[in-house]
Amino acid sequence: MFFTYLRRELRRRRKAALVIALGLALGIGLVITVNSASAGMQVAQGKVLQSLYGLGTDMTVTKAAAAQGSTGATGRPKFNFGATTDSKEQSSDQVMVQGFESLPTTVVSQVAGQKGVDDAVGGLSLRVLKVSGQFDRGQFKQGQTTGGGRGGGGTQPPGEVQGGGAQFDVNNYSVYGVDVAKPALGPLTSSKITSGTSFTSAQSNAAVAVLDSSYAKENKLAVGGTLTIKAVKYKVIGIATADSGDSAANVYIPLTQAQTLAGAKDKVTTVYVKATDSQQIDGVKSAIQKNVPGTTVTTSADLASTVSGSLSTASDLATNLGKWLSIAVLIAAFLVAGLLTSSAVSRRVREFGTLKALGWKSRRVTGQVMGEALVNGLIGGVLGIALGLGGAYLITAISPTLTASVASGGGGGGGGGFGGGPGRQAATKALDIALTAPVSLGTIGLSVGLAVAGGLIAGTFGGWRASRLRPADALRRVE
């Protein structure tokens, strides 16, 4: 009886039901679109941050900045060239720890032992200055004898060196030492191997290298070739292309090799940390700061606050204006649905009064009104999901391009923001990110919940009005 009456009333009053459903649909559709756009902006921000610190990293640990006025080991690079008798090509490499700041490798195990840390891995950021060129030997020219007569001796001025000189080129590039035993964590994970292979655990101290694709192209290097750093020839085993933005470094080599090149045995510049649960990141940060002195901890949230550009502006709009607007529209839709349902009940005084006269109790009448409102809400939910999916699809299809840049900052001199030393260079460049609007199952579930809530709110308005009707009201309306 309940469903038969429900179906008949909805069919008979389908215009009013459609108006209520459309009101709810607009609010729900707006919520889906705004949430999906906001999720897309979070994905875009994630791409920006991933280009700096790598996939899976929740935070980084670097050496704390030195106090103002303190002196650090900031020695200037020195280049020594031996003297030769002939013109000869010469080169010299100066390998320096990025920012001249480093931590002992024991810090990695200390960080890994903190509560809430799933894994931790160290890396060493280096900067290589390569000076190469040649000295051209000048020619000594004897001065010509002047003065003197037929039998007299003239004077001979001193000679001079003519010609010669030197031409040198300075090449500056970044090298990153990675722990090959843990390839799933660290800056190299922000790039994809597009040629050759990545490191294996057996290459912990091998003279092998993976090059960034842009650097390899610029220097005409390929898999199988060699790269010489400080007289050590590294075989190129792979070419990596950054997923978005710039790569973390130009050259990647095993951590042990990087430590040997820089004379930084058992040293790292950055510790990459993965938390067991994303909800525990703040707690893990506090624990590391408390238990590992002399360090600075930077989370993805810290770095996200430095993202600027149109991506940041759009994200703020979606987070603040968009969500508040969708909430306001949703509340208005709920109120309108409730008022329309209550108004529809007022027009059905004769109907409900007659039903009560026939023996229907107030609870049954209220239940009938609630059932009709709930069905209207579900219909509105279906229409709202369709509108929301359409809006999200339109955003994805258009894929508006947003720009983002991350200001340099972060930990100690070698920290350079969240991604360690080489990340500083990438952070100063603007990135173009195509915006998408992914719709998650959670958003769909939220929409269904809002539809049910809207139906219940509207049913509450109408049910309260219906419960107050008396059989005598129906008799007054008889013409």
Side-chain angles (χ1 to χ4, degrees), residues 146-204:
T146 59
R150 177 175 298 179
T155 60
Q156 186 175 26
E160 60 180 5
V161 177
Q162 296 180 351
Q167 291 184 342
F168 281 83
D169 176 61
V170 179
N171 186 15
N172 179 10
Y173 60 96
S174 58
V175 176
Y176 207 86
V178 299
D179 189 341
V180 298
K182 296 182 178 180
L185 195 60
L188 186 54
T189 59
S190 64
S191 298
K192 181 180 180 181
I193 300 297
T194 52
S195 179
T197 61
S198 186
F199 301 109
T200 64
S201 57
Q203 296 172 324
S204 60

Side-chain angles (χ1 to χ4, degrees), residues 219-296:
N219 292 275
K220 299 179 180 179
L221 295 170
V223 174
T226 58
L227 174 70
T228 302
I229 306 176
K230 209 172 181 180
V232 180
K233 292 186 177 181
Y234 289 89
K235 181 180 179 181
V236 179
I237 61 171
I239 304 295
T241 302
D243 291 335
S244 62
D246 292 338
S247 63
N250 301 128
V251 180
Y252 301 91
I253 61 177
L255 178 59
T256 304
Q257 284 286 325
Q259 292 169 335
T260 302
L261 282 177
K265 184 179 180 181
D266 297 329
K267 298 288 186 179
V268 295
T269 50
T270 311
V271 181
Y272 297 87
V273 184
K274 181 180 180 181
T276 54
D277 187 350
S278 60
Q279 303 300 320
Q280 299 181 7
I281 291 178
D282 290 337
V284 173
K285 176 180 179 179
S286 299
I288 295 174
Q289 289 176 327
K290 178 181 178 181
N291 301 324
V292 187
T295 60
T296 296

Side-chain angles (χ1 to χ4, degrees), residues 102-151:
S102 61
L103 295 166
T105 52
T106 53
V107 170
V108 180
S109 57
Q110 283 183 271
V111 172
Q114 301 301 310
K115 183 179 179 181
V117 174
D118 180 56
D119 200 3
V121 63
L124 184 65
S125 174
L126 306 177
R127 179 64 58 179
V128 179
L129 288 176
K130 184 181 183 67
V131 177
S132 59
Q134 68 179 24
F135 293 101
D136 291 327
R137 185 181 180 186
Q139 299 295 324
F140 180 79
K141 186 175 181 180
Q142 184 68 46
Q144 296 180 354
T145 302
T146 59
R150 177 175 298 179

